[in-house]
Amino acid sequence: MNDVLYLAWRYLRFNRGKAAVLVGSISLILFLPAALQVVVREAARALTARADATPLLLGARGSAVDLTLGALYFREPSLDPTTYSESERVTDSELAKAIPLHLRYEVRGHRIVGTTLDYLDFRGIGVASGRRFAMLGECIVGAKAARDLRVGAGDHVLSSPVSAFDVAGGFPLKMPVVGVLAATGTPDDEVVFVDLKTAWVIAGLAHGHQDVTAPEASSGVLSRTEDNVVANASVLSYTEITADNIDSFHFHGDPDGFPVDAVLAVPDDRKSGVVLRGRYQEPDQTVQMVVPRAVVDELVDTMFSVRNVMLAVSLGLGLATIATAALVFALSVRLRRREIETMRKIGAPRRRVRAILASEVLIVVVASLAIAAALTAVVSRFGGMLLRMLGT
């Protein structure tokens, strides 16, 4: 038997080009369905785990999928924002804790999440270095965001302007990084967390100005009376909040009307959650309350439906590949007729010749299976990381 395998191996080694094409084709057709299964299963697991950990979401009426994915994975909001009064409404119901989320701005490609410290407590996110934000203008950075931005406690980051033509607000804010969060393996690692009021400052809903009563600001004063000072546009708006100027920051308008993109509602118990959801069922509501797990289950069903279609396509391609490989081997036998006759003339029985040819097929199939299994193991091991990379 060893001599049969040796001759088959020597033939494949001599014709390494043909063997490589066959092994590569068969490996790929075996690997793709297995990899698809692994990736879909990992994606479904990650989606459902994140959704399971989020009881209820409140946001502007529209696509429940957009609201859920935006709030869970901090995607750029596609729905109009709702108002902070909706968060207060959830709190006033005494049925759930409300955690507002503002998601409109970025720091060099990493989403700025304006929220409260309750969010970190709810997700169970600890601080790896530094501390939590405590003052207007401070931020804490997720583990992956800290690596990408190359910042740590004591550094600064600058919010990215939404648009070069955004003259109404959204001016860049220089924020001190006061802490780096512990890695969680979730989208929380990839964002910059700030206090909700800090997000409103970035949106231009609050401003800080020079002290126009100070002598150095006299050039910017248009008029001065005993009760009032009128300044011109040369009086600077601050782009950094410090202990020295924080008292000069003030909000314009009623905070209840300020924007939030979603509200994470954490009911006191299951019954409270059901009662709270019932209050948002009227069709004339401008907001909607969704159950993330229900929304994600629909997405997962769609994913598995697409997977089944792709598996059917892969099966067809697999049959075509196997047929092509069989044709290649059949043509190879015909081209090797003189070689086979030579083996028979030197004493090789028919079954030994057939064994050599079968061994060539066996070596190709075993090598293909080994390569496909190795690639599938790699995808299974790093599938979650790959999905997070593609998600960003």
Side-chain angles (χ1 to χ4, degrees):
M1 189 63 183
N2 289 336
D3 58 330
V4 170
L5 292 175
Y6 177 75
L7 289 173
W9 168 251
R10 292 296 298 179
Y11 174 79
L12 292 173
R13 185 176 178 184
F14 182 77
N15 296 277
R16 59 177 62 91
K18 181 186 77 172
V21 171
L22 286 172
V23 170
S25 301
I26 297 174
S27 298
L28 193 60
I29 211 64
L30 292 173
F31 163 69
L32 287 178
L36 178 63
Q37 180 74 9
V38 169
V39 170
V40 170
R41 187 175 66 245
E42 177 64 25
R45 186 201 63 78
L47 281 170
T48 53
R50 185 78 168 168
D52 278 338
T54 309
L56 297 171
L57 283 173
L58 178 69
R61 186 166 291 278
S63 169
V65 173
D66 289 344
L67 172 62
T68 301
L69 293 183
L72 296 186
Y73 293 92
F74 308 125
R75 303 294 178 85
E76 183 176 358
S78 58
L79 299 178
D80 292 333
T82 185
T83 60
Y84 183 67
S85 62
E86 293 296 340
S87 177
E88 292 290 280
R89 179 183 170 190
V90 172
T91 301
D92 293 341
S93 72
E94 299 184 350
L95 296 171
K97 176 186 291 185
I99 304 174
L101 298 172
H102 187 286
L103 309 170
R104 296 279 159 174
Y105 301 100
E106 296 182 346
V107 172
R108 285 154 49 191
H110 291 270
R111 185 70 50 194
I112 295 175
V113 178
T115 185
T116 64
L117 292 177
D118 288 336
Y119 181 86
L120 302 182
D121 294 332
F122 172 70
R123 295 292 189 197
I125 308 174
V127 178
S129 62
R131 59 173 176 83
R132 297 178 170 192
F133 54 75
M135 190 178 80
L136 189 69
E138 295 179 339
C139 71
I140 49 178
V141 185
K144 185 178 184 300
R147 291 194 301 270
D148 293 346
L149 299 173
R150 298 182 181 180
V151 296
D155 295 323
H156 289 76
V157 294
L158 191 68
S159 65
S160 304
V162 177
S163 166
F165 305 101
D166 183 18
V167 296
F171 59 86
L173 180 68
K174 184 179 180 182
M175 299 175 288
V177 178
V178 297
V180 175
L181 297 174
T184 62
T186 68
D188 298 312
D189 292 343
E190 302 170 7
V191 299
V192 177
F193 288 99
V194 300
D195 181 69
L196 182 61
K197 291 182 179 179
T198 300
W200 289 338
V201 170
I202 299 173
L205 299 173
H207 299 285
H209 302 288
Q210 292 178 352
D211 182 2
V212 292
T213 63
E216 58 270 22
S218 58
S219 60
V221 174
L222 292 176
S223 64
R224 188 191 302 270
T225 66
E226 218 174 284
D227 302 321
N228 189 39
V229 177
V230 179
N232 62 25
S234 68
V235 177
L236 299 178
S237 291
Y238 287 109
T239 57
E240 180 178 7
I241 302 172
T242 66
D244 294 331
N245 65 31
I246 190 171
D247 291 337
S248 71
F249 276 80
H250 52 280
F251 288 90
H252 301 279
D254 183 4
D256 282 349
F258 289 175
V260 295
D261 293 295
V263 178
L264 197 162
V266 186
D268 298 334
D269 49 45
R270 185 174 179 276
K271 180 180 178 181
S272 298
V274 173
V275 173
L276 184 62
R277 287 172 56 196
R279 298 183 179 182
Y280 291 88
Q281 298 303 311
E282 294 83 356
D284 59 343
Q285 293 265 10
T286 59
V287 293
Q288 62 178 331
M289 180 165 283
V290 300
V291 180
R293 179 58 193 262
V295 175
V296 167
D297 281 345
E298 293 181 7
L299 284 177
V300 170
D301 289 342
T302 303
M303 287 170 51
F304 279 108
S305 298
V306 173
R307 181 208 61 178
N308 292 337
V309 172
M310 295 184 69
L311 286 177
V313 172
S314 297
L315 178 61
L317 290 174
L319 292 175
T321 302
I322 292 172
T324 302
L327 178 62
V328 169
F329 279 113
L331 292 174
S332 176
V333 170
R334 296 193 64 179
L335 291 173
R336 296 167 63 190
R337 183 173 298 172
R338 293 182 60 185
E339 176 188 340
I340 293 172
E341 289 178 357
T342 300
M343 286 192 290
R344 290 175 58 189
K345 287 178 180 180
I346 63 177
R350 287 180 180 274
R351 69 172 180 272
R352 183 63 59 131
V353 174
R354 293 194 190 99
I356 293 172
L357 297 176
S359 296
E360 293 172 6
V361 176
L362 180 64
I363 290 173
V364 169
V365 171
V366 170
S368 300
L369 285 171
I371 293 173
L375 291 174
T376 303
V378 170
V379 171
S380 181
R381 174 67 178 83
F382 299 103
M385 183 185 304
L386 177 63
L387 286 172
R388 287 192 292 274
M389 290 174 61
L390 293 175
T392 56

